[in-house]
Amino acid sequence: TNTMFIAFQERSPRHLDPTASYALNEVPYMYAVYEPPYAYHYLKRPYILVPKAATELATPRYFDKDGKPLPDNAPGEAVAESQYDIRIRPGTLYAPHPAFAKDANGNYLYHALTEAQTRNKHSPQDFGTSGTRELVADDFVYALKRHATPRIEAPIFGIFSEYVIGLKDYGKLIRDEDQKLRQGLDPAALDKPFLDLRKYPLDGAVALDKHTLRLRIKGKYPQWKYWMTLTFTAPVPWEADRFYSQPGMAKNSLTLDVWPVGTGPFMAVEYDPDRRHVLVRNPNYHGATY
């Protein structure tokens, strides 16, 4: 078959969740599954940025402390905020996954499962039906919000919270809401009630419309465009968070750390810890060529 075999280093990838992944042996899986807003054109010297999930590279707009627009060449000390309006490629679909599956009435098939229903499930392929939906700007907003949750190892939260407007305070809010949800529960329990980040707005990341993402960054920070090539800024659908938060899922390794959900060219179909991982073509991939 048309198959590439590679060896992973030391052990299985620890995190395939884009909020948490920060190790070299995870990179081949992450960029096969996820699409950040930007990427590098690796065949050009020097490297240049190119759009990936976005349709084009966004030109930041600058504002002073009073909210007044500044010219593109404004000195850094005069800039209080940079705004990036990023247009997301329309028509991009997620790889098939049961988190998106719906019945004839539009209700999610697998968002209200019991532990008895998940007991014999060990991969997304064990569910009878899969679905998909279009990538939208809100998925990038949701992904940035996830850096603030205490439920995930988020190695970049400290850096992002210094630049994404409101993210530091958002971290405090989400910690409080998480404690409320888990009050009276065993703190060591793998099962955690769904923490729906859509309920809590973040000033620094909003969807202006279905396909336009606005990011508000403190000061003049030209490095931000390079952060947008990393899977830390890749989209995460809320349905995946909801799906994997159900009783019994974590016990059976049904998590984003093991079974990622993305729009990239490949999707995970087999997981055998420290032995074998299989990715196959995403049938919904939009296609991309040099």
Side-chain angles (χ1 to χ4, degrees), residues 167-222:
L167 188 59
K168 185 173 290 186
D169 290 337
Y170 195 80
K172 299 173 186 176
L173 168 67
I174 295 304
R175 282 194 294 274
D176 290 343
E177 294 300 323
D178 180 58
Q179 288 178 359
K180 292 176 188 176
L181 270 179
R182 297 167 65 180
Q183 191 171 10
L185 302 178
D186 180 358
L190 294 177
D191 292 336
K192 301 175 180 66
F194 176 46
L195 177 57
D196 191 351
L197 301 179
R198 296 174 300 165
K199 296 179 180 178
Y200 314 103
L202 171 62
D203 290 341
V206 296
L208 300 182
D209 58 42
K210 188 176 181 181
H211 296 114
T212 308
L213 168 69
R214 172 169 289 175
L215 298 177
R216 300 173 59 204
I217 305 299
K218 292 179 184 176
K220 193 173 188 178
Y221 184 48

Short mmCIF file of all heavy atoms in Angstrom, two decimals, residues 167-222:
data_model
loop_
_atom_site.label_atom_id
_atom_site.label_comp_id
_atom_site.label_asym_id
_atom_site.label_seq_id
_atom_site.Cartn_x
_atom_site.Cartn_y
_atom_site.Cartn_z
N LEU A 167 -6.75 37.51 28.57
CA LEU A 167 -6.57 36.08 28.81
C LEU A 167 -6.13 35.78 30.24
O LEU A 167 -6.51 34.76 30.82
CB LEU A 167 -5.56 35.50 27.81
CG LEU A 167 -5.41 33.98 27.82
CD1 LEU A 167 -6.73 33.28 27.53
CD2 LEU A 167 -4.34 33.52 26.82
N LYS A 168 -5.34 36.66 30.84
CA LYS A 168 -4.90 36.41 32.22
C LYS A 168 -6.09 36.40 33.17
O LYS A 168 -6.23 35.50 34.00
CB LYS A 168 -3.88 37.48 32.64
CG LYS A 168 -3.27 37.23 34.02
CD LYS A 168 -2.16 38.21 34.33
CE LYS A 168 -0.94 37.93 33.47
NZ LYS A 168 0.21 38.79 33.86
N ASP A 169 -6.96 37.39 33.06
CA ASP A 169 -8.17 37.43 33.91
C ASP A 169 -9.11 36.28 33.55
O ASP A 169 -9.81 35.76 34.43
CB ASP A 169 -8.89 38.77 33.75
CG ASP A 169 -8.12 39.92 34.38
OD1 ASP A 169 -7.29 39.65 35.28
OD2 ASP A 169 -8.33 41.08 33.96
N TYR A 170 -9.12 35.91 32.29
CA TYR A 170 -9.96 34.79 31.87
C TYR A 170 -9.53 33.51 32.58
O TYR A 170 -10.36 32.68 32.95
CB TYR A 170 -9.84 34.61 30.35
CG TYR A 170 -10.91 33.74 29.74
CD1 TYR A 170 -12.17 34.24 29.48
CD2 TYR A 170 -10.64 32.41 29.41
CE1 TYR A 170 -13.16 33.44 28.91
CE2 TYR A 170 -11.61 31.61 28.84
CZ TYR A 170 -12.87 32.13 28.59
OH TYR A 170 -13.84 31.32 28.03
N GLY A 171 -8.23 33.35 32.80
CA GLY A 171 -7.74 32.18 33.52
C GLY A 171 -8.30 32.10 34.92
O GLY A 171 -8.69 31.02 35.39
N LYS A 172 -8.38 33.24 35.60
CA LYS A 172 -8.95 33.27 36.96
C LYS A 172 -10.44 32.93 36.92
O LYS A 172 -10.93 32.17 37.76
CB LYS A 172 -8.73 34.65 37.57
CG LYS A 172 -7.27 35.04 37.72
CD LYS A 172 -7.13 36.49 38.18
CE LYS A 172 -5.67 36.93 38.20
NZ LYS A 172 -5.52 38.37 38.56
N LEU A 173 -11.15 33.48 35.95
CA LEU A 173 -12.58 33.20 35.82
C LEU A 173 -12.84 31.72 35.59
O LEU A 173 -13.70 31.11 36.25
CB LEU A 173 -13.15 34.02 34.65
CG LEU A 173 -14.57 33.65 34.19
CD1 LEU A 173 -15.59 34.00 35.26
CD2 LEU A 173 -14.91 34.35 32.87
N ILE A 174 -12.08 31.12 34.69
CA ILE A 174 -12.31 29.72 34.34
C ILE A 174 -11.93 28.80 35.49
O ILE A 174 -12.60 27.78 35.74
CB ILE A 174 -11.55 29.35 33.05
CG1 ILE A 174 -12.11 30.16 31.87
CG2 ILE A 174 -11.64 27.86 32.77
CD1 ILE A 174 -13.61 30.00 31.65
N ARG A 175 -10.90 29.14 36.24
CA ARG A 175 -10.55 28.34 37.42
C ARG A 175 -11.69 28.34 38.43
O ARG A 175 -12.03 27.31 39.01
CB ARG A 175 -9.26 28.85 38.06
CG ARG A 175 -8.00 28.41 37.33
CD ARG A 175 -6.77 28.65 38.18
NE ARG A 175 -6.52 30.06 38.40
CZ ARG A 175 -5.83 30.84 37.57
NH1 ARG A 175 -5.33 30.33 36.46
NH2 ARG A 175 -5.63 32.11 37.85
N ASP A 176 -12.30 29.52 38.61
CA ASP A 176 -13.44 29.62 39.55
C ASP A 176 -14.63 28.80 39.05
O ASP A 176 -15.28 28.10 39.83
CB ASP A 176 -13.85 31.09 39.72
CG ASP A 176 -12.81 31.90 40.48
OD1 ASP A 176 -11.95 31.29 41.15
OD2 ASP A 176 -12.86 33.14 40.41
N GLU A 177 -14.92 28.90 37.75
CA GLU A 177 -16.06 28.16 37.20
C GLU A 177 -15.80 26.66 37.25
O GLU A 177 -16.73 25.86 37.50
CB GLU A 177 -16.32 28.60 35.76
CG GLU A 177 -16.78 30.04 35.62
CD GLU A 177 -18.08 30.32 36.37
OE1 GLU A 177 -18.95 29.44 36.40
OE2 GLU A 177 -18.20 31.42 36.95
N ASP A 178 -14.57 26.26 37.05
CA ASP A 178 -14.21 24.84 37.12
C ASP A 178 -14.42 24.31 38.54
O ASP A 178 -14.94 23.21 38.74
CB ASP A 178 -12.77 24.66 36.68
CG ASP A 178 -12.31 23.21 36.73
OD1 ASP A 178 -12.95 22.37 36.08
OD2 ASP A 178 -11.34 22.90 37.45
N GLN A 179 -14.02 25.09 39.54
CA GLN A 179 -14.20 24.68 40.93
C GLN A 179 -15.68 24.53 41.28
O GLN A 179 -16.07 23.60 41.99
CB GLN A 179 -13.54 25.69 41.86
CG GLN A 179 -12.02 25.63 41.83
CD GLN A 179 -11.37 26.68 42.72
OE1 GLN A 179 -12.06 27.48 43.36
NE2 GLN A 179 -10.05 26.71 42.76
N LYS A 180 -16.51 25.43 40.76
CA LYS A 180 -17.95 25.33 41.00
C LYS A 180 -18.51 24.04 40.41
O LYS A 180 -19.31 23.34 41.05
CB LYS A 180 -18.68 26.53 40.39
CG LYS A 180 -18.39 27.86 41.05
CD LYS A 180 -19.11 28.98 40.29
CE LYS A 180 -18.69 30.35 40.81
NZ LYS A 180 -19.33 31.44 40.00
N LEU A 181 -18.12 23.73 39.19
CA LEU A 181 -18.62 22.53 38.51
C LEU A 181 -18.20 21.26 39.24
O LEU A 181 -18.95 20.29 39.29
CB LEU A 181 -18.10 22.48 37.08
CG LEU A 181 -18.92 23.14 35.98
CD1 LEU A 181 -18.21 23.00 34.65
CD2 LEU A 181 -20.32 22.55 35.90
N ARG A 182 -17.00 21.27 39.82
CA ARG A 182 -16.44 20.06 40.42
C ARG A 182 -16.62 20.02 41.93
O ARG A 182 -16.09 19.13 42.60
CB ARG A 182 -14.96 19.95 40.05
CG ARG A 182 -14.74 19.82 38.56
CD ARG A 182 -13.31 20.03 38.13
NE ARG A 182 -12.42 19.00 38.65
CZ ARG A 182 -11.12 18.98 38.40
NH1 ARG A 182 -10.56 19.93 37.67
NH2 ARG A 182 -10.37 18.02 38.89
N GLN A 183 -17.38 20.95 42.46
CA GLN A 183 -17.61 20.99 43.90
C GLN A 183 -18.30 19.71 44.38
O GLN A 183 -19.30 19.27 43.82
CB GLN A 183 -18.48 22.21 44.27
CG GLN A 183 -18.55 22.48 45.76
CD GLN A 183 -19.22 23.82 46.05
OE1 GLN A 183 -19.78 24.44 45.16
NE2 GLN A 183 -19.16 24.25 47.29
N GLY A 184 -17.72 19.09 45.39
CA GLY A 184 -18.28 17.86 45.93
C GLY A 184 -17.84 16.61 45.22
O GLY A 184 -18.16 15.50 45.65
N LEU A 185 -17.10 16.75 44.10
CA LEU A 185 -16.62 15.59 43.36
C LEU A 185 -15.21 15.24 43.81
O LEU A 185 -14.48 16.07 44.35
CB LEU A 185 -16.63 15.88 41.86
CG LEU A 185 -17.98 16.27 41.25
CD1 LEU A 185 -17.81 16.58 39.76
CD2 LEU A 185 -19.00 15.16 41.45
N ASP A 186 -14.82 14.01 43.58
CA ASP A 186 -13.47 13.56 43.89
C ASP A 186 -12.49 14.35 43.02
O ASP A 186 -12.55 14.28 41.79
CB ASP A 186 -13.35 12.06 43.60
CG ASP A 186 -11.96 11.51 43.90
OD1 ASP A 186 -11.07 12.30 44.30
OD2 ASP A 186 -11.76 10.30 43.72
N PRO A 187 -11.57 15.13 43.61
CA PRO A 187 -10.65 15.93 42.81
C PRO A 187 -9.73 15.10 41.93
O PRO A 187 -9.17 15.60 40.94
CB PRO A 187 -9.85 16.72 43.85
CG PRO A 187 -10.02 15.97 45.12
CD PRO A 187 -11.36 15.32 45.05
N ALA A 188 -9.56 13.82 42.26
CA ALA A 188 -8.70 12.95 41.47
C ALA A 188 -9.46 12.19 40.38
O ALA A 188 -8.86 11.42 39.62
CB ALA A 188 -7.98 11.96 42.38
N ALA A 189 -10.78 12.38 40.32
CA ALA A 189 -11.59 11.65 39.35
C ALA A 189 -11.20 12.01 37.92
O ALA A 189 -10.96 13.18 37.60
CB ALA A 189 -13.07 11.94 39.57
N LEU A 190 -11.14 11.01 37.06
CA LEU A 190 -10.83 11.26 35.65
C LEU A 190 -11.99 11.95 34.95
O LEU A 190 -11.79 12.76 34.04
CB LEU A 190 -10.49 9.94 34.95
CG LEU A 190 -9.20 9.24 35.40
CD1 LEU A 190 -9.06 7.91 34.66
CD2 LEU A 190 -7.99 10.12 35.16
N ASP A 191 -13.21 11.60 35.35
CA ASP A 191 -14.39 12.21 34.74
C ASP A 191 -14.62 13.60 35.32
O ASP A 191 -14.66 13.78 36.53
CB ASP A 191 -15.63 11.34 34.99
CG ASP A 191 -15.57 10.02 34.25
OD1 ASP A 191 -14.85 9.95 33.23
OD2 ASP A 191 -16.24 9.06 34.69
N LYS A 192 -14.78 14.56 34.44
CA LYS A 192 -15.03 15.93 34.86
C LYS A 192 -16.21 16.47 34.07
O LYS A 192 -16.28 16.28 32.85
CB LYS A 192 -13.80 16.81 34.62
CG LYS A 192 -12.55 16.33 35.36
CD LYS A 192 -11.34 17.17 34.97
CE LYS A 192 -10.09 16.70 35.69
NZ LYS A 192 -9.68 15.35 35.27
N PRO A 193 -17.15 17.16 34.72
CA PRO A 193 -18.30 17.72 34.00
C PRO A 193 -17.82 18.68 32.90
O PRO A 193 -16.80 19.35 33.05
CB PRO A 193 -19.08 18.47 35.08
CG PRO A 193 -18.58 17.93 36.38
CD PRO A 193 -17.18 17.49 36.16
N PHE A 194 -18.55 18.72 31.81
CA PHE A 194 -18.17 19.56 30.67
C PHE A 194 -18.14 21.02 31.08
O PHE A 194 -19.11 21.57 31.61
CB PHE A 194 -19.17 19.36 29.54
CG PHE A 194 -18.95 20.24 28.34
CD1 PHE A 194 -17.68 20.42 27.81
CD2 PHE A 194 -20.03 20.88 27.73
CE1 PHE A 194 -17.47 21.23 26.68
CE2 PHE A 194 -19.84 21.67 26.61
CZ PHE A 194 -18.56 21.85 26.09
N LEU A 195 -17.00 21.65 30.86
CA LEU A 195 -16.82 23.08 31.12
C LEU A 195 -16.94 23.79 29.77
O LEU A 195 -15.99 23.80 28.98
CB LEU A 195 -15.46 23.34 31.77
CG LEU A 195 -15.07 24.79 32.05
CD1 LEU A 195 -16.11 25.48 32.93
CD2 LEU A 195 -13.69 24.85 32.71
N ASP A 196 -18.09 24.37 29.51
CA ASP A 196 -18.40 24.95 28.20
C ASP A 196 -17.84 26.37 28.10
O ASP A 196 -18.45 27.33 28.59
CB ASP A 196 -19.90 24.94 27.98
CG ASP A 196 -20.28 25.28 26.53
OD1 ASP A 196 -19.38 25.68 25.77
OD2 ASP A 196 -21.46 25.13 26.18
N LEU A 197 -16.70 26.51 27.47
CA LEU A 197 -16.04 27.81 27.38
C LEU A 197 -16.78 28.80 26.50
O LEU A 197 -16.50 30.00 26.53
CB LEU A 197 -14.61 27.61 26.86
CG LEU A 197 -13.72 26.69 27.70
CD1 LEU A 197 -12.35 26.55 27.05
CD2 LEU A 197 -13.58 27.21 29.13
N ARG A 198 -17.73 28.32 25.72
CA ARG A 198 -18.51 29.23 24.88
C ARG A 198 -19.33 30.21 25.71
O ARG A 198 -19.71 31.28 25.23
CB ARG A 198 -19.44 28.44 23.97
CG ARG A 198 -18.74 27.54 22.96
CD ARG A 198 -19.75 26.69 22.20
NE ARG A 198 -20.50 25.83 23.11
CZ ARG A 198 -21.62 25.18 22.79
NH1 ARG A 198 -22.13 25.33 21.57
NH2 ARG A 198 -22.23 24.41 23.66
N LYS A 199 -19.61 29.85 26.96
CA LYS A 199 -20.44 30.69 27.83
C LYS A 199 -19.70 31.93 28.31
O LYS A 199 -20.33 32.88 28.78
CB LYS A 199 -20.91 29.89 29.04
CG LYS A 199 -21.82 28.73 28.74
CD LYS A 199 -22.18 28.01 30.03
CE LYS A 199 -23.11 26.83 29.78
NZ LYS A 199 -23.42 26.12 31.05
N TYR A 200 -18.39 31.93 28.22
CA TYR A 200 -17.58 32.98 28.83
C TYR A 200 -16.77 33.69 27.76
O TYR A 200 -15.80 33.14 27.24
CB TYR A 200 -16.66 32.38 29.90
CG TYR A 200 -17.37 31.42 30.81
CD1 TYR A 200 -17.21 30.04 30.65
CD2 TYR A 200 -18.23 31.87 31.82
CE1 TYR A 200 -17.88 29.15 31.48
CE2 TYR A 200 -18.90 30.98 32.64
CZ TYR A 200 -18.73 29.62 32.46
OH TYR A 200 -19.39 28.73 33.26
N PRO A 201 -17.13 34.93 27.40
CA PRO A 201 -16.42 35.64 26.34
C PRO A 201 -15.01 36.03 26.75
O PRO A 201 -14.72 36.26 27.92
CB PRO A 201 -17.30 36.87 26.08
CG PRO A 201 -18.09 37.06 27.35
CD PRO A 201 -18.28 35.70 27.92
N LEU A 202 -14.14 36.11 25.76
CA LEU A 202 -12.76 36.54 25.95
C LEU A 202 -12.54 37.77 25.09
O LEU A 202 -12.72 37.73 23.87
CB LEU A 202 -11.80 35.41 25.54
CG LEU A 202 -10.31 35.75 25.46
CD1 LEU A 202 -9.78 36.17 26.83
CD2 LEU A 202 -9.52 34.57 24.91
N ASP A 203 -12.13 38.89 25.72
CA ASP A 203 -12.00 40.15 25.00
C ASP A 203 -11.01 40.06 23.84
O ASP A 203 -11.19 40.70 22.81
CB ASP A 203 -11.55 41.27 25.95
CG ASP A 203 -12.63 41.66 26.93
OD1 ASP A 203 -13.82 41.36 26.66
OD2 ASP A 203 -12.30 42.26 27.98
N GLY A 204 -9.96 39.27 24.00
CA GLY A 204 -8.90 39.25 23.02
C GLY A 204 -9.12 38.35 21.83
O GLY A 204 -8.29 38.32 20.91
N ALA A 205 -10.21 37.60 21.82
CA ALA A 205 -10.48 36.69 20.70
C ALA A 205 -11.98 36.61 20.47
O ALA A 205 -12.72 36.14 21.34
CB ALA A 205 -9.92 35.29 20.99
N VAL A 206 -12.43 37.06 19.31
CA VAL A 206 -13.85 37.05 18.98
C VAL A 206 -14.03 36.67 17.52
O VAL A 206 -13.14 36.89 16.69
CB VAL A 206 -14.54 38.41 19.25
CG1 VAL A 206 -14.50 38.76 20.72
CG2 VAL A 206 -13.89 39.51 18.42
N ALA A 207 -15.17 36.09 17.21
CA ALA A 207 -15.54 35.81 15.83
C ALA A 207 -16.43 36.94 15.34
O ALA A 207 -17.53 37.14 15.86
CB ALA A 207 -16.26 34.47 15.73
N LEU A 208 -15.93 37.71 14.37
CA LEU A 208 -16.73 38.82 13.82
C LEU A 208 -17.87 38.29 12.98
O LEU A 208 -18.94 38.89 12.91
CB LEU A 208 -15.84 39.74 12.99
CG LEU A 208 -14.68 40.41 13.72
CD1 LEU A 208 -13.92 41.32 12.77
CD2 LEU A 208 -15.17 41.20 14.93
N ASP A 209 -17.63 37.19 12.30
CA ASP A 209 -18.66 36.47 11.56
C ASP A 209 -18.19 35.03 11.44
O ASP A 209 -17.19 34.63 12.06
CB ASP A 209 -18.94 37.12 10.19
CG ASP A 209 -17.72 37.21 9.30
OD1 ASP A 209 -16.94 36.24 9.25
OD2 ASP A 209 -17.52 38.26 8.65
N LYS A 210 -18.88 34.25 10.65
CA LYS A 210 -18.60 32.82 10.58
C LYS A 210 -17.15 32.51 10.20
O LYS A 210 -16.56 31.53 10.67
CB LYS A 210 -19.56 32.17 9.58
CG LYS A 210 -19.51 30.66 9.54
CD LYS A 210 -20.57 30.12 8.59
CE LYS A 210 -20.54 28.59 8.56
NZ LYS A 210 -21.57 28.05 7.61
N HIS A 211 -16.56 33.35 9.36
CA HIS A 211 -15.24 33.06 8.83
C HIS A 211 -14.20 34.14 9.10
O HIS A 211 -13.15 34.17 8.46
CB HIS A 211 -15.31 32.80 7.31
CG HIS A 211 -16.12 31.60 6.95
ND1 HIS A 211 -17.30 31.68 6.25
CD2 HIS A 211 -15.94 30.28 7.21
CE1 HIS A 211 -17.81 30.46 6.09
NE2 HIS A 211 -17.00 29.61 6.66
N THR A 212 -14.48 35.04 10.04
CA THR A 212 -13.53 36.10 10.37
C THR A 212 -13.22 36.09 11.86
O THR A 212 -14.12 36.25 12.69
CB THR A 212 -14.05 37.49 9.96
OG1 THR A 212 -14.44 37.46 8.58
CG2 THR A 212 -12.97 38.54 10.15
N LEU A 213 -11.96 35.92 12.17
CA LEU A 213 -11.47 35.89 13.55
C LEU A 213 -10.75 37.19 13.84
O LEU A 213 -9.89 37.62 13.07
CB LEU A 213 -10.50 34.71 13.71
CG LEU A 213 -9.66 34.64 14.99
CD1 LEU A 213 -10.54 34.33 16.20
CD2 LEU A 213 -8.55 33.59 14.83
N ARG A 214 -11.08 37.83 14.97
CA ARG A 214 -10.34 39.02 15.41
C ARG A 214 -9.56 38.69 16.67
O ARG A 214 -10.14 38.22 17.66
CB ARG A 214 -11.26 40.21 15.67
CG ARG A 214 -10.53 41.40 16.32
CD ARG A 214 -11.38 42.66 16.35
NE ARG A 214 -11.52 43.21 14.99
CZ ARG A 214 -12.29 44.25 14.69
NH1 ARG A 214 -13.00 44.85 15.65
NH2 ARG A 214 -12.36 44.68 13.45
N LEU A 215 -8.27 38.93 16.61
CA LEU A 215 -7.40 38.75 17.77
C LEU A 215 -6.87 40.12 18.19
O LEU A 215 -6.39 40.89 17.36
CB LEU A 215 -6.24 37.81 17.45
CG LEU A 215 -6.63 36.40 17.06
CD1 LEU A 215 -5.41 35.58 16.69
CD2 LEU A 215 -7.40 35.71 18.20
N ARG A 216 -6.93 40.39 19.50
CA ARG A 216 -6.45 41.66 20.05
C ARG A 216 -5.23 41.37 20.91
O ARG A 216 -5.32 40.63 21.90
CB ARG A 216 -7.56 42.34 20.85
CG ARG A 216 -8.80 42.66 20.02
CD ARG A 216 -9.92 43.17 20.92
NE ARG A 216 -9.52 44.37 21.63
CZ ARG A 216 -10.07 44.77 22.78
NH1 ARG A 216 -11.04 44.06 23.35
NH2 ARG A 216 -9.65 45.87 23.38
N ILE A 217 -4.11 41.95 20.53
CA ILE A 217 -2.83 41.67 21.17
C ILE A 217 -2.30 42.95 21.82
O ILE A 217 -2.38 44.04 21.25
CB ILE A 217 -1.82 41.17 20.11
CG1 ILE A 217 -2.38 39.95 19.36
CG2 ILE A 217 -0.48 40.84 20.76
CD1 ILE A 217 -2.69 38.77 20.24
N LYS A 218 -1.76 42.81 23.03
CA LYS A 218 -1.21 43.96 23.74
C LYS A 218 0.04 44.47 23.02
O LYS A 218 0.94 43.70 22.67
CB LYS A 218 -0.84 43.58 25.17
CG LYS A 218 -2.01 43.26 26.07
CD LYS A 218 -1.54 42.87 27.45
CE LYS A 218 -2.71 42.45 28.34
NZ LYS A 218 -2.24 41.98 29.66
N GLY A 219 0.08 45.79 22.82
CA GLY A 219 1.25 46.42 22.27
C GLY A 219 1.53 46.04 20.83
O GLY A 219 0.67 45.52 20.12
N LYS A 220 2.74 46.33 20.41
CA LYS A 220 3.20 45.98 19.08
C LYS A 220 4.09 44.75 19.22
O LYS A 220 5.20 44.82 19.74
CB LYS A 220 3.98 47.14 18.45
CG LYS A 220 4.23 46.99 16.96
CD LYS A 220 4.85 48.28 16.40
CE LYS A 220 4.93 48.24 14.88
NZ LYS A 220 5.50 49.50 14.34
N TYR A 221 3.59 43.62 18.77
CA TYR A 221 4.24 42.33 19.02
C TYR A 221 4.35 41.57 17.70
O TYR A 221 3.55 40.68 17.42
CB TYR A 221 3.43 41.55 20.06
CG TYR A 221 4.02 40.23 20.49
CD1 TYR A 221 5.35 40.12 20.87
CD2 TYR A 221 3.22 39.10 20.54
CE1 TYR A 221 5.87 38.90 21.28
CE2 TYR A 221 3.74 37.88 20.95
CZ TYR A 221 5.07 37.79 21.32
OH TYR A 221 5.58 36.58 21.73
N PRO A 222 5.33 41.92 16.86
CA PRO A 222 5.40 41.31 15.53
C PRO A 222 5.61 39.80 15.56
O PRO A 222 5.33 39.12 14.58
CB PRO A 222 6.60 42.02 14.88
CG PRO A 222 7.31 42.73 15.96
CD PRO A 222 6.36 42.96 17.06
#
